[in-house]
Amino acid sequence: MGFKKVAEIQEFDKIEKKLVEVDDKKILLTKVGEGYYAIANKCPHMGGSLYKGTLKDGIITCPRHGAKYDAKTGRGLGKPKILFLEFKMQDDRSYPVKVVENDILVNINEE
Ligand code: FES
């Protein structure tokens, strides 16, 4: 319940994304600009790990079929195609993040 510590800001000196687990949920934690953001790690298309994707300019690209998501909001971007067929991309979920001193906290229970 409530915010839970998932990382320390110093970790993001060397990385830009981290896979964390809160209450059995896998969360992709990213640093975009000076902010930290948390979205569900599971791609809404077919469950690919977004953590294994690439993060560039605030956009995370799923490694499985190339769907793109806004790393800040988890919203799907564009219309991905597989074998020329478009598929409907659901919006992913994002979670509130706050920084307290050196700690990064995520709240997965708040809508
Ligand atoms: S599983 Fe992510 S785009 Fe298909």
Side-chain angles (χ1 to χ4, degrees), residues 43 45-48 62 64-67 87:
C43 177
H45 175 229
M46 288 179 69
C62 180
R64 289 191 62 189
H65 310 105
F87 64 86

Side-chain angles (χ1 to χ4, degrees), residues 10 12 15 40 46 53 57 70 74 79 83 91 102 107 111:
Q10 296 88 336
F12 282 83
I15 59 173
M46 288 179 69
D57 298 329
D70 185 325
K79 292 183 178 171
L83 298 176
D91 284 345
N102 289 327
N107 184 351
E111 292 292 312

Side-chain angles (χ1 to χ4, degrees), residues 4 13 59 74 83 109 111:
K4 290 192 173 168
D13 290 346
I59 296 168
L83 298 176
N109 297 308
E111 292 292 312

Side-chain angles (χ1 to χ4, degrees), residues 9-25:
I9 57 174
Q10 296 88 336
E11 296 175 52
F12 282 83
D13 290 346
K14 295 184 181 135
I15 59 173
E16 58 183 3
K17 57 185 164 70
K18 180 180 181 182
L19 183 62
V20 300
E21 203 166 314
V22 180
D23 296 344
D24 295 331
K25 285 191 180 173

